Amino acid sequence: MKHPEYHSELKTRKNQMSAEIENVVVVGSGPAGYTAALYMARANLSPLVIEGFMWGGLLQQTTDVENYPGFPEGIMGPELMEHFRGQAERFGARLITDQASRVELSDKPGGIHTVWVEDQAYRTRAVVLAMGAEHKKLGVAGEEELSGRGVSYCATCDAAFFRDKETIIVGGGDSAMEEASFLAKFASKVTIINRRAELRASKIMVERVRSMDNIEVLTPYVVSEFVAGADGALESARLSNVESGDESKIDIKGAFIAVGHVPQSELVKGTVETDENGYVAVAGRSTKTNLPGVFAAGDLVDHTYRQAITAAGSGCQAALDAEWYLRDTPQLPA
Ligand code: NDP
């Protein structure tokens, strides 16, 4: 979805920007990106945010957010992101509602980095990478249509909506176990559906799940389809036994998919150091990547906590790291 009000601004910018060197360009616009932008705007760095067409990150795909501190009545995910965005803009962050298409990052302290949006190059002294991660999808029928109507990718966010309801978790890793333990405090029943008889998750987490009365483990099964009821919400899932091929059906109100995440690091692949799963690597508790002046925050880095509040916190850290870098590092001749 393009946001028309930013198109005219973008066009004007295209004719103006090529000779300028930005202080800092933020790539990405979830809680990490906008928080980094807010802090840097308040430090008078006038950050340029390349926020993507679908600005707002994963929270744009959720409904009520009840665990973001400061909103005792809860807040809708998209509304929360509008607040983040508006707050960054209020202090002078400049937003480009388009995708970053390519980067050329310097490996020298004080070097100039370049971020492209289509054919427009933005040169900058510092970069904050905050492209986030995507929930890995199953890719089965009904999954997309019922997302937000019974199909969810975050039990921590949505479990409370399934109080006393029958639910499933798809996946057999630590995330699936953690989601199942959390969901079981609300749902009447949680069935973990895993494609192999063996669960990938750590023993202690499997034991915890197995000790809970309302959790059952069903293997080796995959979901072949999510089916809606007359009200348009999730009513059942079709299951297929991986070994025998037998088909069955399970009646459920909620399905939580926990088959891993995919960090959105393609843009910097081969330039910035990542781990074997594609998460950007940072030094210690900082947001510093292997390249001077390039910082990374949020779900792009974090495969453990993955919460809006932790992403926002790391966006703040990235802003401070960038601010200190700009203060302490003389710029090389451009
Ligand atoms: P994992 O990659 O560990 O597990 C993914 C699970 O989903 C596996 O069971 C996998 O099956 C299954 N799966 C993948 N694709 C499909 C598919 N298309 N259809 C059906 N099933 C599928 O991801 P997690 O998110 O669970 O964990 C990521 C990392 O984060 C891990 O290192 C984990 O230890 C860590 N983590 C740690 C926690 C903690 O310590 N508290 C909590 C959460 C995560 P298969 O096994 O067959 O590949």
Side-chain angles (χ1 to χ4, degrees), residues 320-332:
L320 295 175
D321 282 339
E323 192 184 335
W324 295 330
Y325 169 84
L326 291 171
R327 182 194 62 195
D328 298 337
T329 316
Q331 185 190 315
L332 291 179

Side-chain angles (χ1 to χ4, degrees), residues 136-138 170-176 178 194-196 198 200 205 222 258-261 303-304 306:
K136 194 174 153 192
K137 309 277 190 308
L138 290 177
V170 184
D174 283 336
S175 293
E178 201 161 72
N194 191 43
R195 64 182 175 184
R196 291 186 298 132
E198 198 186 319
R200 177 184 290 270
M205 297 191 65
V222 289
V259 295
H261 283 75
H303 51 74
T304 308
R306 302 187 194 120

